[in-house]
Amino acid sequence: MITYNTDGVKMPSIKKRLTTAWVKAVAATYGKKVGEIGYMFVDDEKILEVNREYLGHDYYTDIITFDYSEGDTISGDIVISLDTVASNAQEQGTPYDDELHRVIIHGILHLCGINDKGPGEREVMERAENKALDIRKTL
């Protein structure tokens, strides 16, 4: 089950059924099933609060993923700052909708075991994001 909620922001105009089908399709390409995934869309101040409280980080970010996966079933809470998504889209000259979906699937890719902090991992994550975005176009 995938849920979509907000805290302090308006729900982004995503097609929830299509997004859910897309998330499941992407997870399946990694041999994973979707368990409980909770998306929470927030503003910059809320994600900073979450980052400080749970991770001890004192900076803004676009996404924080809490992984509760077991075995081949991915589960987790994914917190996304719509403010940072918007500023990243503007900075990169990318449509907001494209950047939002990139971040939505970024969290799922983390739950599937893809990291982006170590040497060479960022490039692996970018390739996985692009592959996932291509899957979205086919749905």
Side-chain angles (χ1 to χ4, degrees):
M1 153 99 67
I2 300 177
T3 58
Y4 303 88
N5 295 289
T6 62
D7 184 349
V9 297
K10 184 175 165 255
M11 180 65 72
S13 60
I14 57 172
K15 295 180 174 135
K16 292 176 189 169
R17 275 196 206 113
L18 180 63
T19 301
T20 295
W22 175 47
V23 165
K24 289 178 178 179
V26 169
T29 68
Y30 294 92
K32 306 289 185 181
K33 293 179 291 204
V34 172
E36 298 289 325
I37 305 285
Y39 281 99
M40 178 64 70
F41 298 100
V42 301
D43 61 14
D44 270 352
E45 292 312 310
K46 183 64 177 180
I47 207 158
L48 179 60
E49 179 185 314
V50 171
N51 218 0
R52 285 175 176 157
E53 182 175 342
Y54 294 98
L55 302 176
H57 299 158
D58 191 23
Y59 53 81
Y60 298 98
T61 187
D62 51 358
I63 183 170
I64 298 172
T65 305
F66 296 97
D67 188 348
Y68 313 127
S69 301
E70 292 183 16
D72 289 337
T73 302
I74 61 169
S75 297
D77 289 323
I78 299 172
V79 184
I80 295 174
S81 170
L82 296 180
D83 293 339
T84 301
V85 168
S87 59
N88 286 350
Q90 186 175 18
E91 197 175 282
Q92 297 165 11
T94 306
Y96 173 80
D97 189 59
D98 291 355
E99 181 64 9
L100 177 60
H101 284 88
R102 184 192 67 75
V103 174
I104 285 171
I105 210 63
H106 183 93
I108 297 302
L109 294 169
H110 274 309
L111 297 177
C112 289
I114 299 173
N115 296 311
D116 59 355
K117 299 290 187 222
E121 290 180 341
R122 181 70 228 153
E123 295 78 8
V124 171
M125 176 61 85
E126 286 175 10
R127 283 193 299 276
E129 288 169 351
N130 291 335
K131 181 179 158 193
L133 291 167
D134 287 343
I135 290 170
R136 182 173 170 259
K137 292 174 189 171
T138 66
L139 300 177

